[in-house]
């Protein structure tokens, strides 16, 4: 995720030398320095002491340790913390690093291709300039949307955070179905992935709702209607509603687990 953000920022004209990177693995740092020309810090504290904005992109289970270790370095400039860690609450980060403003983000995997979707939530002490900066940074890897309640992060995690997996499953199942119908795996894969891509683009650009777009491509008595009737008769909508509810519930559980002291 950090690599994607660095790449995205540089493509958008940020100076590589404005970006300072810390990572326990020297090989990672060398790689990032050689690839992007970013500066490297000897450790997290050195990066935190000099930063105006500190992006924390470590695994959720590392967040408590990493943030706590930085609490004194963070007092030097009180930078904005941007956390991309899934399931870590802003209130927990502020407990580990008191007095530091936090923007919590939930990006998703397509950020690696520059077309991610990120939900952002700011604590009440984040000012307008910092909100703009957070939006610019996450905007370097795709679209962004602000949430006014942190509790909505579980739903965002269930929908866009885990969402790419649902689409991959759909592509996988359509590929398999194509093979069952006699197509080669290569042809089936191309048909499924390009259809997903085109449909995504259409849904993104259209003024109409997804329901209207669906109706527009479903003619009465036709092939699409036959398939959709079959799906509806197996209660596909309830299945999806329940699946996302399970993801949101798991997100809340993880937040409680990683956030507890
Ligand atoms: N990937 C996604 O699609 C995605 C989507 C949404 C949210 N996120 C969030 O983004 C965060 C990063 O995920 P990722 O997939 O990029 O994971 P990752 O590839 O494992 O990256 C984590 C990075 O943090 C480094 N790190 C570990 N401990 C550290 C420490 N003590 N101090 C400084 N750096 C440390 C790791 O270094 P080493 O490699 O040396 O261990 C690694 O470079 C996670 O919190 C995840 O929840 C990711």
């Amino acid at each position: 995720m950090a690599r994607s953000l660095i790449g995205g920022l540089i493509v958008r004209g940020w100076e590589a030398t404005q970006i300072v990177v810390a990572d326990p693995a020297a090989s990672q740092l060398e790689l990032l320095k050689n690839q992007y020309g970013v500066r490297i810090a000897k450790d997290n504290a050195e990066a935190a002491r000099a930063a105006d904005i500190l992006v924390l992109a470590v695994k959720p289970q590392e967040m408590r340790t990493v943030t706590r270790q930085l609490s004194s370095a963070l007092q030097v400039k009180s930078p904005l913390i941007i956390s991309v860690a899934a399931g870590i609450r802003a209130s927990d980060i502020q407990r580990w690093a008191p007095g530091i403003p936090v923007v919590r983000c939930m990006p998703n995997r397509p950020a690696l291709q520059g077309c991610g979707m990120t939900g952002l939530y700011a604590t009440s002490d984040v000012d307008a300039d910092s909100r703009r900066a957070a939006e610019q940074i996450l905007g370097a890897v795709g679209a962004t949307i602000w949430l006014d309640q942190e509790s909505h992060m579980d739903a965002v995690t269930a929908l866009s955070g885990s969402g790419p997996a649902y689409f991959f499953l759909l592509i996988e199942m359509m590929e398999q179905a194509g093979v069952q119908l006699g197509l080669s795996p290569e042809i089936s894969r191309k048909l499924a992935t390009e259809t997903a891509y085109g449909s995504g683009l259409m849904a993104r650009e259209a003024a109409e709702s997804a329901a209207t777009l669906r109706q527009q491509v479903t003619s009465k008595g036709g092939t699409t209607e036959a398939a959709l009737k079959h799906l509806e008769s197996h209660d596909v909508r309830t299945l999806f509603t329940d699946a996302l509810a399970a993801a949101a519930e798991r997100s809340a559980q993880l937040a409680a687990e990683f956030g507890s002291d």
Side-chain angles (χ1 to χ4, degrees):
M1 193 51 70
R3 175 186 301 278
S4 304
L5 287 172
I6 293 167
L9 288 171
I10 289 172
V11 165
R12 276 162 183 75
W14 284 49
E15 282 294 330
T17 49
Q18 277 183 286
I19 303 170
V20 179
V21 185
D23 190 303
S27 57
Q28 280 282 355
L29 291 175
E30 278 306 310
L31 219 68
L32 289 169
K33 187 180 165 189
N34 294 338
Q35 189 174 356
Y36 297 110
V38 293
R39 284 153 59 203
I40 56 183
K42 82 172 186 323
D43 56 28
N44 291 349
E46 183 182 284
R49 273 193 295 272
D52 297 310
I53 300 172
L54 186 69
V55 179
L56 295 177
V58 301
K59 295 257 184 240
Q61 55 271 32
E62 302 281 340
M63 277 291 286
R64 180 178 31 207
T65 310
V66 167
T67 315
R68 275 193 171 149
Q69 282 169 353
L70 289 178
S71 61
S72 65
L74 287 168
Q75 299 312 317
V76 177
K77 284 181 91 175
S78 293
L80 169 71
I81 285 187
I82 297 181
S83 162
V84 298
I88 301 291
R89 288 180 292 231
S91 54
D92 287 319
I93 297 173
Q94 286 200 314
R95 194 156 40 81
W96 302 326
I100 304 296
V102 175
V103 171
R104 172 184 171 188
C105 307
M106 185 60 215
N108 68 6
R109 194 69 170 200
L112 271 64
Q113 304 292 327
C115 52
M117 177 68 239
T118 301
L120 302 103
Y121 168 79
T123 53
S124 57
D125 48 356
V126 175
D127 62 21
D129 285 348
S130 296
R131 283 173 78 99
R132 260 193 301 278
E135 209 174 304
Q136 268 186 7
I137 291 173
L138 273 301
V141 290
T144 56
I145 197 152
W146 283 100
L147 306 170
D148 52 16
Q149 287 179 45
E150 185 166 17
S151 58
H152 287 164
M153 272 295 180
D154 294 327
V156 170
T157 304
L159 206 161
S160 57
S162 301
Y166 316 149
F167 285 99
F168 296 145
L169 176 66
L170 191 60
I171 292 171
E172 181 190 338
M173 292 187 304
M174 285 172 65
E175 270 180 50
Q176 283 168 354
V179 171
Q180 286 287 316
L181 290 169
L183 298 172
S184 72
E186 294 73 29
I187 290 178
S188 209
R189 178 178 163 78
K190 176 118 179 136
L191 294 175
T193 51
E194 292 298 325
T195 304
Y197 180 65
S199 308
L201 270 185
M202 273 190 75
R204 185 176 191 255
E205 302 303 327
E208 299 92 337
S209 66
T212 303
L213 292 177
R214 173 177 52 74
Q215 283 154 10
Q216 285 171 352
V217 294
T218 312
S219 45
K220 208 146 187 54
T223 56
T224 311
E225 188 187 68
L228 293 179
K229 265 188 177 165
H230 189 79
L231 287 171
E232 297 277 9
S233 73
H234 285 76
D235 222 353
V236 67
R237 288 174 195 270
T238 310
L239 211 59
F240 254 82
T241 311
D242 291 351
L244 264 72
E249 192 183 324
R250 183 67 188 134
S251 170
Q253 278 171 1
L254 289 174
E257 203 177 298
F258 294 140
S260 63
D261 280 315

